[in-house]
Amino acid sequence: MTLHGEWLAGSELIAQRSAPTGAPATSGRTGGRTGTTGAAEPAAPAGGPGGTSRFNVASEEDLLTVRHAVRAATVEAGFGLVDQTRIVTAASELARNAYVHGGGGSLEIEMLTRGGRRGLRLTVRDDGPGIRDLDEALTDGFTTGSGLGHGLGGARRLMHEFQVHSVPGEGTTVVVARWNDR
Amino acid sequence: MTAPRATGVPILRLGDVLVTGLLNELDDQSAVAFTDELTERIAGDGARGVLIDISRLEIIDSFVARTLMELTTMARLLGARVIVAGMRPAVAITLVELGLQLTGVETALNAEQGLTALGWHRMPRPPGEARRDAPR
Amino acid sequence: MNTSESSVRDRLCEALREREEEIADRWVRLQLEQAVLSTDMSEHEVREEADLLISALAAGLASDVPVERLVTSRNELRQTVIELSLRRARAGASPTATSMAVLSLKEALLSAVQHTTRDSAELFSAAILVNRLLDAAGVLSFETYVEGREEIIQRQSRQLLEVSTPVVRLWRHVLAVPLIGTLDTARTQVVMESLLQAIQDNEAQVAIIDITGVPAVDTAVAQHLMHTVNAVRLMGADCVISGIRPPIAQTIAQLGIDLSTILTRATLADALAAAIQLTDQPAVGQDAGTARSVTA
């Protein structure tokens, strides 16, 4: 899985909103699989091996499971109630996108630490048809399925960092992160 | 429109008002089933008002928001007024940031105020009984 | 990596192993001489840091990672540099002093190498190697320092925010937030959170946001205000904005911001009167009732 590499290099990298501190989002990382690879800051001690856990999104029940897991991770990272709600809502939007449009996929939760701040990164992948026009998909009101079309655009507004990579016919990967301001 | 009671969400009837609430663990299918069931009840019972308590919802994403908006529209077409009551502060903030206004949906702070708005009052105090107008 | 580089690297490793004490001593002395230390750190602490960093460097050089990437990719080394820099940031040292301290290790290292060889070509290669190695450390140290300070600043401004936005109860079911000073995203979020929480706690029906003390309003601030008002409405309460001074009214008009769906009043007193009227409305028999329509 070399998606990260491709997508950092590729021209399809769009819509990156940096964290308040101007985080160099996901640079220097190689294939974001389990374990902290590459630029190694030890991830927050708790939260599974290497601070990363991964869930399948293949059924409606999985959507609930993912929500629970993300909620638990936000609590562990010390987020306040409103931030918890923002992150779980964003996760719900993205996981539903992967399930409804992508025909199922996976969601990965990573604990982050940088300069004493803690954060959470979610990576949602699917192997679905991909998004033909990303700009359009990020526009409010655009939808190809159920929902209000706020999935992508809404998730972007709720998080500090947002990246999406999509190749028609090959699937979509969305990476979002939020830092704890407390 | 078969399979009534598929959701297990109770819908109570108080005169011409239906009272119900959404649970946090609502999955998409149950949400759809709930919408169907509630719409049928509004028509069947000739309800003029519907109170939906959402104080237990820990998140509202675009799907749930859409469900609430559709419910409101359908109920209105059937002649009933819907009030959504008890949205949590964190949920309200997130919804606004998500860009969802729940256009057309009436809201109330809690179920009691929602019911009052739908025309329900506390019973007038029976003689000799203690004051009951403390909140809640 | 060519053979001469690897031989120089071996030489450096050897120097680090055999002259560890000497290098550490010299580095500490250099730092003290250059007065790059803040008063908060004792010589003993500096010495401890030196020992840690030097042993991390020795371990790193013994691996086969290219020198340029040693500091960023060897975890132990990276962590040591980060901790050293953070400690100094907290102790109040300047960022220049902090990275200068790291860079002065170059001199200590090179003088140790000088003891092991007299070959000038080899010494030259060693100097280049040490430069490449420690420049990365200097940069990392600088970055970490800045991040560390930023963290402190953020924490402080957050604390400041929380005290600067009190929500007060003005009347039965009426709350108010007097805003003073510049509004930005972070502040508005804190205001919004504490206001909504207070609405729930007090079962408030009307929230007044008084912006008499806000010097200017731009598109972003107006947007934040709209968000707050919408969130209040979603909870089932009403919102009144008061204290819009003439210049701000002008700005809003010029920016073409649509505040038409928001109830506004000139003064806090007017807003309170309006709020009381809203709460006194008999809920029954009126379409608006206590439940507010969120129609935009």
Side-chain angles (χ1 to χ4, degrees), chain A residues 3-158:
Chain A
L3 265 177
H4 278 267
E6 269 174 36
W7 123 70
L8 282 171
S11 59
E12 310 220 32
L13 170 65
I14 59 151
Q16 181 172 348
R17 227 184 97 188
S18 61
T21 49
T26 61
S27 62
R29 291 186 70 258
T30 50
R33 264 190 295 186
T34 40
T36 44
T37 50
E41 272 170 304
T52 303
S53 44
R54 190 190 178 108
F55 300 85
N56 279 331
V57 182
S59 69
E60 288 201 4
E61 237 163 65
D62 288 344
L63 293 180
L64 289 181
T65 313
V66 160
R67 270 200 223 166
H68 281 286
V70 173
R71 169 79 69 177
T74 57
V75 172
E76 198 178 300
F79 282 103
L81 185 59
V82 180
D83 274 347
Q84 287 176 28
T85 310
R86 289 187 179 111
I87 297 170
V88 178
T89 307
S92 183
E93 297 290 340
L94 297 177
R96 176 171 281 114
N97 273 351
Y99 171 63
V100 175
H101 305 299
S106 68
L107 179 142
E108 193 174 286
I109 308 172
E110 274 172 277
M111 294 285 182
L112 309 172
T113 23
R114 175 160 39 76
R117 291 171 83 202
R118 303 178 77 185
L120 211 64
R121 180 186 295 134
L122 305 175
T123 306
V124 183
R125 294 194 177 88
D126 67 59
D127 306 321
I131 302 168
R132 235 176 298 112
D133 186 341
L134 279 171
D135 286 329
E136 198 180 21
L138 284 163
T139 311
D140 287 342
F142 177 81
T143 175
T144 53
S146 57
L148 289 162
H150 284 265
L152 276 187
R156 171 159 64 158
R157 277 192 294 272
L158 293 176

Side-chain angles (χ1 to χ4, degrees), chain C residues 92-106:
Chain C
S94 78
T96 324
T98 306
S99 42
M100 282 308 287
V102 173
L103 293 178
S104 66
L105 177 57
K106 281 182 189 175

